[in-house]
Amino acid sequence: MKAAVVHDFTAPLVIEDRPVPEPAAHQVRVRIETSGLCHTDIHAAHGDWPVKPNPPFVPGHEGVGIVEAVGEQVRHVRVGERVAIPWLADACGRCDHCVSGWETLCLQQHNSGYSVDGAYAEYALAHGDYVVPVPDGIDPLDAAPLSCAGVTTYKALKVSGARPGTRVLVSGIGGLGHLALQYARISGAETIAVDVTDDKLALARELGADHVLDARTQDVAAEVQALGGAHAAIALAVSNASFQAAYGALRRGGTLVLVALPAGGKLELPVFETVLNGTKVIGSIVGTREDLTEVFRLHSLGRTRVIRETRRLDEVNTCFDEVLSGKVSARLVFDLR
């Protein structure tokens, strides 16, 4: 099989031939149809974060494909079924986080395309208990971004407390932000979209944002405070300045949900203001298998629209450059069919 492999954090990925893997007793082998490009894949390939993957490895945690083989312990996943391979490759299933619905916080978890090989390949192995069925009728090109960009922003909206009558700011209208904006609208909230590129601002208007702010020319915090302040701000732009602006846009009692993970990301919190204003700052990391099931259900109902462009896997290094330059409209998806 062909796979895109990271051998060195300072070198481009290499497209190479690898043996088609055989599943262990608890695993399934998936013939990958589509695989989304998440900014996390670039962080992984560059070794940006404090906890680094160990080269050589195959990135990719937005894999969608057809199950071709199952291990002897796998009972509920069938050969021929379409499944998604998300960021959470597996967890212990026994700790207090796992049994209380917070499996994404498990200290023993493995992550697709990071601590185990991911979906930038024609075939991938996955834990049979942690793949998520993709409903019939969902285009695999849509299902791939929903498996991370979708479930991550959906969970962020959940923990933000967004509901009808609230005001939600979405900072960064890209691969994640264009979906976050749609989930905010589904929640019934008044929406504020913030970005720094003309095409993303235009996309926000197209998707129905109630207010659109250009952070290049407008003081985001002041503009949002003039509206009454944001009840929740979803920080998706890979920028420390955007975090600070989102914090400043909150009304009293507001919630800042941090999602983006820039290398060396920092947020300075004024303790006095945070305490007096009753401000909440929450970190939100992807979502559970149930969250992803809900994301797929919403998409099946026609409530969300995935903005994406397709590429070939052998274009992976050029695609990384496209994402880093900000030239991508929303999400890139590798089509391996």
Side-chain angles (χ1 to χ4, degrees):
M1 69 171 188
K2 298 290 185 186
V5 184
V6 175
H7 285 279
D8 187 311
F9 293 138
T10 63
L13 279 71
V14 178
I15 304 295
E16 62 186 41
D17 289 311
R18 286 188 160 195
V20 174
E22 291 299 322
H26 64 285
Q27 291 179 316
V28 298
R29 182 175 71 227
V30 179
R31 174 172 50 82
I32 299 297
E33 298 176 295
T34 60
S35 185
L37 195 171
C38 177
H39 208 124
T40 294
D41 300 330
I42 301 177
H43 290 306
H46 293 171
D48 284 340
W49 291 341
V51 179
K52 302 180 188 303
N54 296 312
F57 67 94
V58 178
H61 58 275
E62 291 185 348
V64 170
I66 305 300
V67 175
E68 285 202 344
V70 301
E72 60 188 22
Q73 295 176 4
V74 178
R75 296 288 182 268
H76 65 286
V77 180
R78 303 183 310 276
V79 170
E81 188 173 3
R82 176 172 288 125
V83 297
I85 303 175
W87 170 252
L88 186 69
D90 63 66
C92 79
R94 298 179 303 277
C95 69
D96 57 342
H97 299 302
C98 283
V99 300
S100 62
W102 287 96
E103 60 193 29
T104 52
L105 301 182
C106 176
L107 288 169
Q108 298 179 53
Q109 68 181 274
H110 295 100
N111 302 114
S112 303
Y114 210 90
S115 51
V116 299
D117 281 340
Y120 281 17
E122 292 177 315
Y123 292 88
L125 296 179
H127 196 301
D129 288 340
Y130 285 82
V131 294
V132 176
V134 178
D136 292 341
I138 294 185
D139 189 326
L141 291 168
D142 287 345
L146 291 173
S147 300
C148 178
V151 72
T152 297
T153 53
Y154 179 71
K155 187 68 166 188
L157 259 295
K158 270 188 167 183
V159 301
S160 77
R163 61 186 185 278
T166 61
R167 195 173 296 111
V168 175
L169 180 150
V170 178
S171 178
I173 310 299
L176 277 77
H178 86 284
L179 287 162
L181 179 58
Q182 293 176 70
Y183 294 130
R185 284 172 52 77
I186 290 169
S187 78
E190 179 182 350
T191 54
I192 306 163
V194 181
D195 209 284
V196 294
T197 63
D198 293 338
D199 59 339
K200 304 288 177 57
L201 296 168
L203 177 58
R205 294 186 184 94
E206 181 185 342
L207 292 172
D210 296 301
H211 312 277
V212 178
L213 300 179
D214 185 342
R216 295 170 298 185
T217 59
Q218 294 174 282
D219 183 328
V220 171
E223 295 282 352
V224 178
Q225 290 296 343
L227 295 171
H231 295 81
I234 314 299
L236 304 170
V238 187
S239 155
N240 289 339
S242 71
F243 297 163
Q244 214 67 52
Y247 176 89
L250 294 173
R251 61 184 281 129
R252 282 195 157 197
T255 301
L256 173 61
V257 184
L258 298 173
V259 179
L261 287 170
K266 291 185 183 298
L267 172 64
E268 291 190 7
L269 291 178
V271 175
F272 187 83
E273 291 177 16
T274 301
V275 172
L276 261 64
N277 291 336
T279 303
K280 295 175 285 293
V281 179
I282 299 175
S284 184
I285 176 71
V286 294
T288 65
R289 289 165 285 180
E290 178 57 27
D291 291 323
L292 181 51
T293 298
E294 293 172 11
V295 162
F296 284 150
R297 191 179 304 128
L298 284 171
H299 195 70
S300 292
L301 291 169
R303 305 288 175 83
T304 52
R305 172 184 166 203
V306 178
I307 309 297
R308 34 79 175 170
E309 302 172 37
T310 58
R311 298 287 190 274
R312 300 189 314 273
L313 186 61
D314 59 12
E315 298 176 293
V316 60
N317 292 303
T318 301
C319 290
F320 277 20
D321 292 339
E322 284 186 75
V323 172
L324 291 173
S325 68
K327 295 178 181 177
V328 177
S329 58
R331 208 62 159 181
L332 295 183
V333 183
F334 299 115
D335 192 340
L336 287 87
R337 293 170 293 185

